[in-house]
Amino acid sequence: MLKSYFTSALRRLKRDKFFSSLNLIGLTIGVTSFILLALYVKHELSYDKFHERGDRIYVMADKSNDRNGPIKNSRYLLGLSLKLQELVPEVSQMVHISSSGEALVEIDNEQFYEEKVHYVNQDFFNVLNFEILQGEPTFDQPMQAVISQRLSDKYYQGVSAVGKSIEINNKQYHIAGVIENAPANTHIQYEILLSNEDEVANGLKEYPNEHGGGSVALTVVKIPSGTDIGEVDLKVRKVIDEVFIETQRNKYEDGKLIYGTYFLPFSEVHLKSGFNWNMFPVSDIRYVYLFGSIAILILVIACLNYVNLATARSLRKMKEVGVRKVLGADRKQIVRQTITESTLFAFFSVLLSFGIAERLLPFYNSLINRQLELSYWSAEFVVFVFGLSLLVGLLSGFYPALRMSNFKAIKALSGRSGGKEKAGVRRGLVWFQFFIAQGLIVATLIIQSQLSYLQNKDLGYDREHLLFIDAKGYLKEDVQSFKGEISRVSGVEQVSLTNGILGRNSISFMQMKEIEGHEDSEDYLVMDSFEVDSAFISTMGMEFVAGGGFYSSDQMAPAKSLIVNEAFVKKVGWEHPIGMPFEFWGEEMYIAGVVKDFHNESLKATVKPAILVLNKNTYLYVSVKVNSSNIRETVKALEDKWNAFVPESPFQFQFYDDVYDKQYTTEIRLGKVFNIFSGIAITISILGLIGLTSFTAEQRLKEFGIRKVLGAEVKQLISLLSREFILLILIAFAIAGPIAYWSLTGWLESFQYKVEIGPLTFVLALLLTLAIALLSMTYQFRKISRVNPSEILRSE
């Protein structure tokens, strides 16, 4: 019996090539999309789940209120954590991880910069389960290094790296071990790990400093088995309140500088931490929900597309079903036959989808910045293939099977089977397909509008063709000579020297009562502070709104003058800021100019008060404005100048554009993903619409022939065919548009500066959908226009 079902199904697929092709393409596209999105969701949910006793591993984090409002950080005061380690036994097994920043590494006379260099302590391998491949590193002695297998294979091919020397930031370390490459599903990414004995010593010396601060580190603890983390949390809070009253106690209860410690499960850091600052990049659980929802919706659209086309095609199978029933087939046999056909179809589609998904993985991994892979021939893969095939087969085949099994033999043989009811169901399926597709289109337009806004927002400075060189302190005495040399390079327009650039500046704070006019205030003024030279304003393309640059006069010397931004003036409330005295860094200074607000952070944060201080001894960063023509040659000339001055260190630069865009990497990728999968959803819906309009046109050819005989024009016939689908699209849009907007409200609210979503966005989405729908029906319109009534009606 089963064999006959398969044989019958294969014959039908061969006989009805048009509908079979539409079904196969639609299902395959949907299943391929589902596989790719499911791989992402599975990968994200697996982060840091491989550590033994992972349920006992926690990150010690802090939460507070600062100038941005409530914040959460994983950078924990090193000195405080060390004291807690002594006083709270439950957190005695503790890992400290601190970054070296971008380190200059030298191996066998080859130099390169490496960002993934971290200091760790001796509990690192006791708490976290990263496999040691060579050596027995303990990190209990200074100047120990552990390198990844990747570096070992590259620089010590065929030779053990253990015992070799490696130079990092001009310090010699001996390699104590080789560790596995950091797994793709851990947020702790590394290439080199260094003993942090010196860092710990410095942290103890620095803590507490005059502000209750000191060195910070990512702090991870493993609590004993059977320990209640809530009780540990209470003990830690009690110790902080009793022992560290002056430095860490909750204070300023009016919403300022509130501090608190809490424990976060280590496996939740990647998706659920919500950290404003974290040593390693993390994601957001909302993107998992988003990708997962899109995966399910696209699979549902693909299945509904199959159901729609199958129910439409079932009218052709009525007589076959009638004959089967007359010959003794019962309802169960009809159901089994139909579901077998859909399951077989789904199985072919799933196998084809896996092959396509594998070919698309390199592009997909690049798009989402992950390292996903398909594991063929694993038990998990086999179960997934058959499980997905069965699921898709049942979802796609259940309703058609139910409908055809209900056909009455006499009516089926006469060609009547309740077509009106089925037409209503098919319309409902089309409506639901476009409901999902239009929701994705609206969401895509909103996301793209915000991304376009981010790209074109006036930042208060000109980032076009502007780069900076991180001098890392190498130039010092030679910095003015270096500036003079590169100023003469063809293509260089302006050069500025600073000790801080946008996004890499100092933060200063003071009590408002120290400022004239605010003697009774208990508030704090938190400022972005920059040490710059006199060319900084012009090089950055900033605009003055009052006053001018650093200047000399009887009242003010350049070294005593300050430049502030509009946010600073607004905060202190000065109507006429120019010439106002301001004590900064222990010196009496004066406001010389006010520049237009500039964005030092991403647009997720408001513009903060900023202060620019003239310092003639700046040497850490060199900002260069270059001409748009021959940028490559200009950069090469800058590299030659650098190598002449600093031959011992590789040349390194970044464009401000790239630094700015990097802040929105996640959002940009989100936009690309939405573009692609919204397109896929629309494509599947179009396939269903093509099939359904083709079937509808075929069913109504005689009606159209009669209407032509009676004088109907072609445009009237086209209107008859298209208006019901247009009505369905309009109804779907009226519901999908507001839902999509509401769903993205939270995402938009994460930006302090965002685009205003007006009616035009929704009108554009609707017009786009209608245009696509009408375009997909073009072939049927042409077919109707060529209808010859005599050929259609001659058999009547």
Side-chain angles (χ1 to χ4, degrees):
M1 182 69 70
L2 189 61
K3 181 180 178 181
S4 67
Y5 290 163
F6 278 103
T7 302
S8 177
L10 290 173
R11 285 175 180 170
R12 187 171 292 108
L13 294 179
K14 292 179 181 179
R15 184 171 61 248
D16 199 353
K17 291 184 175 63
F18 177 72
F19 278 96
S20 296
S21 298
L22 286 180
N23 267 330
L24 184 62
I25 294 172
L27 263 184
T28 301
I29 292 174
V31 174
T32 301
S33 302
F34 178 82
I35 291 171
L36 292 174
L37 291 167
L39 281 174
Y40 170 81
V41 171
K42 177 176 177 287
H43 175 78
E44 293 296 286
L45 294 176
S46 71
Y47 260 74
D48 294 308
K49 296 292 196 303
F50 58 86
H51 298 285
E52 294 180 12
R53 309 294 183 184
D55 58 328
R56 291 162 41 195
I57 304 177
Y58 294 83
V59 167
M60 293 183 68
D62 66 52
K63 51 189 174 183
S64 61
N65 289 339
D66 76 347
R67 57 185 180 157
N68 294 326
I71 61 171
K72 295 190 291 185
N73 294 312
S74 66
R75 51 184 175 190
Y76 204 80
L77 285 166
L78 181 58
L80 175 59
S81 65
L82 291 169
K83 293 297 183 183
L84 291 174
Q85 189 177 19
E86 294 177 12
L87 299 172
V88 183
E90 289 85 352
V91 297
S92 59
Q93 200 167 23
M94 181 181 290
V95 175
H96 306 290
I97 307 174
S98 55
S99 176
S100 70
E102 193 173 52
L104 177 61
V105 181
E106 182 174 336
I107 302 178
D108 288 343
N109 298 321
E110 183 172 342
Q111 290 185 327
F112 58 93
Y113 285 109
E114 177 58 59
E115 293 183 348
K116 299 176 184 178
V117 180
H118 313 299
Y119 294 101
V120 300
N121 67 326
Q122 57 188 347
D123 275 329
F124 182 82
F125 290 112
N126 297 327
V127 174
L128 304 175
N129 297 113
F130 297 109
E131 185 180 357
I132 301 172
L133 304 178
Q134 296 178 28
E136 297 179 359
T138 58
F139 293 125
D140 59 351
Q141 298 295 325
M143 314 313 289
Q144 283 189 8
V146 171
I147 65 174
S148 67
Q149 184 179 9
R150 186 180 298 107
L151 287 182
S152 178
D153 292 342
K154 182 176 180 179
Y155 293 100
Y156 302 101
Q157 299 177 11
V159 179
S160 175
V162 176
K164 305 291 185 180
S165 293
I166 183 172
E167 187 176 296
I168 300 172
N169 290 334
N170 301 314
K171 293 182 180 180
Q172 288 291 331
Y173 290 81
H174 72 275
I175 300 176
V178 176
I179 188 175
E180 66 172 332
N181 295 328
N185 60 342
T186 179
H187 74 281
I188 296 181
Q189 295 294 312
Y190 54 78
E191 290 293 346
I192 302 174
L193 301 176
L194 306 174
S195 169
N196 74 344
E197 289 297 307
D198 292 337
E199 292 289 304
V200 170
N202 291 334
L204 286 171
K205 290 176 183 177
E206 293 179 6
Y207 180 80
N209 64 23
E210 58 180 327
H211 303 297
S215 300
V216 293
L218 173 63
T219 301
V220 184
V221 299
K222 179 187 280 189
I223 64 174
S225 180
T227 303
D228 184 356
I229 191 62
E231 294 179 0
V232 177
D233 188 33
L234 289 175
K235 283 187 178 182
V236 168
R237 291 171 184 261
K238 185 177 180 181
V239 169
I240 291 176
D241 284 341
E242 292 180 353
V243 181
F244 306 103
I245 295 176
E246 296 303 322
T247 58
Q248 299 303 327
R249 189 174 184 176
N250 290 354
K251 49 188 176 180
Y252 307 116
E253 295 295 341
D254 292 333
K256 308 177 186 71
L257 301 176
I258 301 297
Y259 181 90
T261 294
Y262 69 101
F263 290 86
L264 179 72
F266 187 71
S267 60
E268 294 183 5
V269 170
H270 181 66
L271 292 177
K272 299 181 181 180
S273 62
F275 287 143
N276 297 75
W277 182 93
N278 192 58
M279 183 179 299
F280 304 98
V282 293
S283 188
D284 193 320
I285 189 65
R286 288 180 296 183
Y287 294 126
V288 173
Y289 294 148
L290 184 63
F291 276 54
S293 299
I294 294 175
I296 293 172
L297 290 176
I298 288 181
L299 186 64
V300 168
I301 287 179
C303 291
L304 291 181
N305 189 61
Y306 182 94
V307 172
N308 208 359
L309 293 176
T311 52
R313 192 178 56 173
S314 66
L315 295 181
R316 294 185 177 182
K317 298 170 62 177
M318 281 190 298
K319 292 185 179 180
E320 176 189 334
V321 173
V323 171
R324 283 180 177 273
K325 286 200 169 187
V326 168
L327 295 176
D330 58 19
R331 184 175 179 179
K332 291 181 180 179
Q333 289 175 317
I334 301 298
V335 169
R336 284 197 295 266
Q337 164 67 34
T338 307
I339 290 181
T340 298
E341 179 179 331
S342 65
T343 303
L344 179 64
F345 207 90
F347 182 72
F348 288 152
S349 176
V350 169
L351 289 181
L352 184 59
S353 297
F354 270 101
I356 295 174
E358 184 183 34
R359 296 294 183 272
L360 293 176
L361 263 182
F363 165 76
Y364 185 58
N365 283 333
S366 175
L367 177 66
I368 63 175
N369 194 31
R370 293 293 186 268
Q371 300 174 30
L372 308 181
E373 57 183 24
L374 286 168
S375 302
Y376 287 111
W377 312 121
S378 65
E380 182 184 41
F381 173 77
V382 174
V383 170
F384 187 77
V385 168
F386 283 99
L388 186 59
S389 301
L390 184 61
L391 174 65
V392 174
L394 291 175
L395 287 175
S396 305
F398 179 74
Y399 180 76
L402 191 64
R403 285 296 304 144
M404 284 188 283
S405 67
N406 282 332
F407 288 168
K408 301 298 183 183
I410 296 177
K411 289 185 176 181
L413 289 171
S414 65
R416 293 179 289 109
S417 60
K420 289 185 179 179
E421 180 185 350
K422 287 192 295 245
V425 172
R426 290 195 299 276
R427 292 190 189 101
L429 295 176
V430 169
W431 175 87
F432 192 71
Q433 282 181 306
F434 275 95
F435 167 75
I436 295 174
Q438 287 182 117
L440 291 175
I441 288 177
V442 172
T444 300
L445 289 176
I446 292 174
I447 291 173
Q448 291 302 322
S449 296
Q450 178 63 17
L451 291 178
S452 177
Y453 178 81
L454 296 178
Q455 294 294 324
N456 298 296
K457 174 78 167 63
D458 181 8
L459 302 178
Y461 67 95
D462 185 7
R463 58 192 170 97
E464 295 294 326
H465 312 123
L466 182 64
L467 61 86
F468 68 87
I469 302 167
D470 186 353
K472 301 181 185 298
Y474 285 109
L475 293 169
K476 291 187 180 180
E477 294 83 4
D478 296 327
V479 68
Q480 292 297 334
S481 299
F482 180 73
K483 178 181 178 180
E485 287 292 326
I486 64 174
S487 297
R488 289 188 286 272
V489 169
S490 176
V492 171
E493 296 182 351
Q494 295 189 74
V495 183
S496 171
L497 303 175
T498 64
N499 278 349
I501 58 171
L502 302 185
R504 301 186 185 186
N505 58 284
S506 301
I507 296 176
S508 301
F509 66 94
M510 62 188 300
Q511 288 185 296
M512 289 289 289
K513 63 185 178 182
E514 299 176 18
I515 302 173
E516 182 176 326
H518 297 272
E519 288 77 9
D520 297 329
S521 175
E522 293 297 326
D523 202 355
Y524 271 77
L525 174 62
V526 185
M527 304 167 288
D528 290 323
S529 55
F530 300 85
E531 296 178 78
V532 303
D533 66 3
S534 58
F536 180 76
I537 301 294
S538 58
T539 301
M540 300 301 296
M542 294 179 176
E543 298 179 18
F544 281 100
V545 295
F550 303 104
Y551 59 90
S552 299
S553 70
D554 295 338
Q555 297 83 22
M556 196 183 311
K560 303 295 183 182
S561 61
L562 298 173
I563 294 174
V564 297
N565 67 346
E566 293 172 295
F568 178 95
V569 176
K570 183 178 180 181
K571 179 68 176 178
V572 299
W574 290 336
E575 292 185 11
H576 304 288
I578 304 303
M580 288 293 290
F582 185 78
E583 186 174 332
F584 190 66
W585 290 345
E587 290 189 68
E588 188 74 15
M589 300 187 184
Y590 298 85
I591 308 300
V594 179
V595 294
K596 183 178 177 181
D597 279 340
F598 56 90
H599 289 272
N600 183 41
E601 302 174 79
S602 78
L603 298 187
K604 293 183 178 181
T606 56
V607 173
K608 308 304 184 301
I611 190 165
L612 310 178
V613 184
L614 182 65
N615 183 345
K616 296 181 179 180
N617 297 316
T618 53
Y619 56 83
L620 293 180
Y621 296 96
V622 184
S623 294
V624 185
K625 185 75 172 181
V626 299
N627 193 283
S628 58
S629 60
N630 298 323
I631 292 180
R632 181 173 297 179
E633 289 78 2
T634 302
V635 171
K636 180 63 173 66
L638 293 176
E639 182 177 10
D640 293 339
K641 297 294 184 183
W642 171 269
N643 291 334
F645 276 82
V646 192
E648 69 274 15
S649 177
F651 176 70
Q652 197 169 34
F653 74 97
Q654 281 184 283
F655 279 95
Y656 278 86
D657 252 346
D658 296 334
V659 175
Y660 177 78
D661 291 341
K662 192 175 181 180
Q663 299 176 100
Y664 309 107
T665 300
T666 300
E667 287 76 16
I668 292 171
R669 288 187 180 125
L670 174 66
K672 291 179 180 178
V673 169
F674 252 101
N675 284 342
I676 292 171
F677 289 106
S678 293
I680 288 173
I682 285 291
T683 300
I684 297 173
S685 298
I686 288 172
L687 292 175
L689 190 60
I690 290 173
L692 196 56
T693 53
S694 175
F695 172 79
T696 302
E698 183 179 326
Q699 293 295 110
R700 300 178 67 177
L701 278 180
K702 291 181 180 178
E703 174 193 341
F704 293 152
I706 294 172
R707 287 181 179 274
K708 269 201 167 186
V709 169
L710 296 176
E713 297 181 1
V714 173
K715 62 181 180 181
Q716 292 176 311
L717 300 180
I718 291 175
S719 175
L720 284 173
L721 179 64
S722 61
R723 67 185 180 185
E724 68 172 294
F725 297 110
I726 292 176
L727 180 62
L728 290 174
I729 290 173
L730 292 174
I731 296 173
F733 181 81
I735 301 174
I739 291 177
Y741 176 76
W742 174 80
S743 300
L744 283 174
T745 300
W747 179 75
L748 284 174
E749 289 301 321
S750 67
F751 296 91
Q752 294 293 328
Y753 303 89
K754 51 186 175 290
V755 68
E756 294 295 329
I757 304 300
L760 183 61
T761 300
F762 296 93
V763 171
L764 180 61
L766 179 58
L767 292 177
L768 180 63
T769 308
L770 289 173
I772 293 172
L774 292 173
L775 187 63
S776 66
M777 292 187 279
T778 301
Y779 175 74
Q780 300 308 323
F781 295 159
R782 293 179 61 191
K783 187 175 181 180
I784 291 172
S785 66
R786 296 174 181 175
V787 166
N788 186 338
S790 61
E791 291 184 4
I792 295 174
L793 300 176
R794 64 185 176 184
S795 61
E796 295 297 317

